[in-house]
Amino acid sequence: MRLRHDSEGLSGRKLKRLLHQLCERAQEDVLRMSIHEESATHQLRLRVKKMMALLRLANPGIEKHTLQAMRQHLRAVKNACAGNREYVVQSKLIDKLTRRFHLAPKHRPQLHGQPLKAPPASDLHHQLYAVGRLIDSTCIQSLSEEQILEEHARCYRKGRQLMKQACETKDKRTLHRWRHRVKDLYFQTLVLSHLRGAERRIRRARRLGQILGRDQDLSNLAAEPAFTVRRSPWLHVINEHRDHLRESYLALGHKLFAPPSTRFSSKILHCD
């Protein structure tokens, strides 16, 4: 066995450049929000999630307090855009379940509240500008490909551990944490697409993230006061749908995380 020396690999310099590019594109998304609010907000949240996933790869090249500050700024952007996303998702989910389970209109509960106004662009620009300055202050460019791949293997290992926990419990927090690690693995593998088996992992991680996201949306919906009305058919419908999703995400999770962590790490760090 020998260490990989792949010309298409992800160097520290390239990783830092990718983070800068994502930050710049996020600033462009903020500018688009005044005209195309829904699509621009969706793209902004995706870019923030991708940045957070890539920061995990860059961890050895970032001081702890700097990394903490970067995550705080990115979470502030993501959370500022979360309100309307949740309202829109829940409304669409209610419509979908009403059609799928042939529920009479009289049984369709109404969500309380109204869509929120878009967060001030100046606040979002400020947070993203701060992230860009912090990226500049790091030594990410000095990272070797081996260091980056070791962090990728660490993300895989954590995802595999959480999959095992998810097999034993339906705890919302466990599933939420697992979904985040699956998303991290997906976004990381997109920029590590030269690795063996990456195409299959991208496909499976993307699908698994979608299923876990749908389950989380259903869980949040079940907690709404409108769905706990006595004799309402909704909780039964939601729980039945979640049971089907559970079968799917556990089966797919076992496929995505099939190789033991040591084998996965060896496969991406070495070649024959």
Side-chain angles (χ1 to χ4, degrees):
M1 300 283 282
R2 59 185 174 84
L3 286 177
R4 298 182 64 98
H5 292 287
D6 197 322
S7 61
E8 297 180 0
L10 182 62
S11 66
R13 191 175 300 278
K14 183 177 179 180
L15 178 57
K16 190 168 186 176
R17 187 166 63 248
L18 283 171
L19 284 164
H20 267 305
Q21 289 173 350
L22 285 167
C23 203
E24 291 169 1
R25 298 293 181 273
Q27 292 279 21
E28 294 171 5
D29 292 330
V30 174
L31 293 174
R32 289 176 50 238
M33 286 176 67
S34 61
I35 303 173
H36 306 289
E37 182 180 346
E38 187 173 340
S39 62
T41 300
H42 176 68
Q43 285 299 321
L44 176 59
R45 283 173 56 82
L46 277 180
R47 291 193 213 282
V48 167
K49 291 175 183 178
K50 189 168 187 176
M51 275 190 276
M52 295 181 81
L54 297 191
L55 284 175
R56 289 184 178 275
L57 293 180
N59 184 59
I62 309 175
E63 292 187 6
K64 186 176 180 180
H65 69 277
T66 301
L67 182 59
Q68 184 178 5
M70 294 167 86
R71 285 174 172 167
Q72 286 176 344
H73 286 301
L74 290 172
R75 285 194 192 103
V77 174
K78 188 160 67 88
N79 292 339
C81 301
N84 279 346
R85 185 260 177 201
E86 186 173 340
Y87 186 90
V88 170
V89 165
Q90 287 191 345
S91 295
K92 290 182 177 179
L93 191 53
I94 292 172
D95 291 337
K96 181 177 180 179
L97 291 176
T98 300
R99 291 193 302 270
R100 177 168 181 171
F101 292 95
H102 308 291
L103 292 171
K106 66 178 181 179
H107 290 307
R108 189 192 193 285
Q110 298 298 316
L111 292 172
H112 294 295
Q114 296 295 326
L116 304 173
K117 291 183 179 179
S122 58
D123 290 351
L124 299 177
H125 281 303
H126 168 73
Q127 302 287 355
L128 292 168
Y129 175 76
V131 172
R133 293 296 300 270
L134 288 168
I135 293 172
D136 282 334
S137 73
T138 68
C139 298
I140 297 173
Q141 71 278 2
S142 66
L143 293 176
S144 67
E145 183 182 7
E146 184 178 359
Q147 287 176 297
I148 293 171
L149 292 178
E150 284 174 350
E151 294 304 312
H152 183 51
R154 191 190 308 276
C155 177
Y156 177 91
R157 182 165 62 250
K158 186 61 179 177
R160 197 170 191 272
Q161 290 170 352
L162 287 167
M163 178 200 70
K164 292 180 179 179
Q165 292 178 29
C167 291
E168 303 296 329
T169 179
K170 295 182 180 180
D171 176 62
K172 180 179 177 179
R173 187 169 179 271
T174 299
L175 291 173
H176 183 69
R177 291 173 61 211
W178 185 30
R179 180 181 175 233
H180 277 295
R181 297 296 78 79
V182 169
K183 285 286 188 180
D184 284 343
L185 186 69
Y186 168 67
F187 287 126
Q188 290 176 8
T189 310
L190 283 176
V191 299
L192 293 166
S193 58
H194 62 286
L195 296 178
R196 189 183 309 167
E199 184 177 346
R200 182 174 61 252
R201 284 194 297 279
I202 288 170
R203 185 174 64 252
R204 288 174 174 171
R206 183 180 183 218
R207 180 60 180 156
L208 180 55
Q210 290 172 339
I211 297 173
L212 287 170
R214 196 178 309 157
D215 179 78
Q216 181 177 317
D217 291 335
L218 286 166
S219 176
N220 292 337
L221 199 61
E224 288 289 323
F227 295 85
T228 58
V229 177
R230 189 178 180 184
R231 295 182 181 177
S232 168
W234 276 89
L235 279 182
H236 174 73
V237 165
I238 290 174
N239 288 333
E240 181 180 338
H241 196 31
R242 290 190 69 194
D243 286 341
H244 287 302
L245 289 177
R246 182 170 175 79
E247 292 178 11
S248 298
Y249 66 64
L250 289 181
L252 190 52
H254 277 95
K255 290 180 180 179
L256 176 62
F257 294 101
S261 299
T262 52
R263 181 180 165 195
F264 176 82
S265 179
S266 178
K267 184 168 68 172
I268 66 171
L269 283 167
H270 302 86
C271 59
D272 296 328

